[in-house]
């Protein structure tokens, strides 16, 4: 779930990602790092195989697969950590991955 804090009211709420439980989405630290681009929030896939995309206005969640799942260096162990946007592209910083992930949303 995504934790949402309203700084004015100091109220906390959650938006479910729908990616908990068993299978490839089981585990911890699925996403780590976030940036905003064109009104959407993009969460960096740390142990997840997909970028989490959140529309904060509608609270709708979607996913963009990185194409980097499976065995070896892409097996869900700390792939990327941190993301920024430049010239309309999103750049995800490699942690254990061997390459920068570049996304054209």
């Amino acid at each position: 779930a995504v934790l949402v804090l309203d700084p004015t009211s100091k109220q906390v709420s959650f938006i479910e990602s729908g990616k908990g439980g068993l299978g490839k989405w089981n585990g911890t630290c699925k996403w780590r790092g976030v940036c905003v681009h064109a009104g959407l929030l993009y969460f960096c896939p740390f142990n997840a195989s997909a970028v989490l995309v959140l529309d904060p206005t509608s609270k709708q969640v979607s996913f963009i697969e990185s194409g980097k799942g499976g065995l070896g260096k892409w097996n869900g162990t700390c792939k990327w950590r941190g993301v920024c946007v430049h010239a309309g592209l999103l750049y995800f910083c490699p942690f254990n991955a061997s390459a920068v992930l570049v996304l054209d949303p």
Side-chain angles (χ1 to χ4, degrees):
V2 176
L3 184 144
V4 181
L5 172 65
D6 181 332
T8 304
S9 68
K10 296 183 175 56
Q11 295 294 311
V12 173
S13 62
F14 296 91
I15 299 172
E16 289 298 323
S17 71
K19 298 294 185 185
L22 301 175
K24 72 177 183 177
W25 297 103
N26 191 25
T28 59
C29 303
K30 293 176 188 77
W31 297 277
R32 197 166 194 174
V34 62
C35 77
V36 64
H37 175 64
L40 299 176
L41 300 174
Y42 292 85
F43 294 82
C44 181
F46 192 63
N47 285 336
S49 64
V51 175
L52 185 152
V53 183
L54 172 63
D55 181 334
T57 303
S58 68
K59 297 184 177 149
Q60 293 296 306
V61 173
S62 61
F63 301 90
I64 301 172
E65 281 294 331
S66 69
K68 300 299 183 188
L71 301 175
K73 66 183 172 236
W74 306 114
N75 72 351
T77 55
C78 312
K79 291 182 277 302
W80 296 279
R81 183 176 177 181
V83 56
C84 73
V85 64
H86 176 69
L89 298 175
L90 299 171
Y91 295 87
F92 297 84
C93 177
F95 191 76
N96 282 336
S98 62
V100 173
L101 173 65
V102 181
L103 176 65
D104 185 350

